[in-house]
Amino acid sequence: MNIGERLHCRACKTDGTVYRTWNATIESVTTDSIVTIAPAGSLVFNLKSGERPIRHHYRSYYWSDKFYNLIEIFEPSGKLFHIYINVASPPEFEDGMMSFKDHELDVSRYLPKPAQLIDEDEFAEAVITYQYSKEFQEKLYAAAREALELANNWIARPVPVFGETNVE
């Protein structure tokens, strides 16, 4: 994986069912993380609503040792207005594709307000559907607490610069 390459991304349910797909451009790569960007207008396929363009610029951070990923969401004007964190498995890479399992617990921060833990109802359903053990639930809540702290103290980089290689 190299900076500037396109990457097909997939968000999956715990059982591996793909519920959202999109393409992004790799902005940076380290031994333990990858950062991708996608401009407003990029197409996202959602299992429930079909294919639609996103309305904002996205920069997404994925870590190989964290049970969450973070998305900076920018207005088309370039102003950061939302930080969203999925409590999820670390990403997996196969055949030029990146996938992660979304565990339904999320953190949302609309600036300048503080971050909030959201979707606990969806998490409660996932606990039953996927039979999460007590230990796994505790691990995910620990990740969510870490994500809340991260969202409240996150210092975003400037809005990504998009060139022709970043467009669908």
Side-chain angles (χ1 to χ4, degrees):
M1 292 185 296
N2 297 303
I3 293 171
E5 286 182 356
R6 300 287 284 160
L7 182 65
H8 186 68
C9 305
R10 301 184 324 168
C12 306
K13 298 292 185 181
T14 297
D15 65 3
T17 302
V18 177
Y19 73 90
R20 184 173 298 131
T21 63
W22 65 97
N23 290 310
T25 301
I26 298 171
E27 184 180 53
S28 66
V29 181
T30 67
T31 56
D32 63 353
S33 70
I34 183 168
V35 179
T36 66
I37 56 175
S42 298
L43 297 177
V44 173
F45 177 80
N46 195 324
L47 192 59
K48 290 184 180 179
S49 59
E51 191 171 67
R52 298 195 177 177
I54 58 174
R55 297 187 341 242
H56 303 94
H57 301 310
Y58 284 60
R59 178 183 287 120
S60 303
Y61 297 79
Y62 304 91
W63 295 275
S64 61
D65 61 345
K66 301 290 184 189
F67 263 76
Y68 52 77
N69 54 66
L70 181 145
I71 306 166
E72 297 171 341
I73 305 171
F74 297 86
E75 294 283 0
S77 67
K79 180 183 176 189
L80 177 71
F81 82 99
H82 192 192
I83 294 169
Y84 196 88
I85 302 177
N86 295 294
V87 174
S89 69
E92 297 175 4
F93 299 90
E94 187 176 339
D95 299 328
M97 218 178 317
M98 180 185 72
S99 302
F100 64 86
K101 292 180 180 171
D102 184 343
H103 296 302
E104 309 300 337
L105 202 53
D106 300 301
V107 170
S108 177
R109 180 176 179 213
Y110 285 97
L111 283 84
K113 296 178 183 175
Q116 297 181 333
L117 185 62
I118 62 169
D119 296 336
E120 288 185 274
D121 55 335
E122 293 176 16
F123 180 70
E125 288 177 29
V127 165
I128 294 166
T129 302
Y130 305 115
Q131 301 179 345
Y132 293 169
S133 68
K134 287 284 184 203
E135 294 78 19
F136 191 61
Q137 292 175 57
E138 290 169 11
K139 180 178 186 167
L140 297 178
Y141 268 110
R145 286 189 296 275
E146 186 177 325
L148 274 165
E149 181 76 17
L150 181 64
N152 281 323
N153 294 293
W154 187 256
I155 298 172
R157 299 195 329 236
V159 64
V161 174
F162 297 103
E164 288 188 28
T165 60
N166 305 116
V167 181
E168 294 284 323

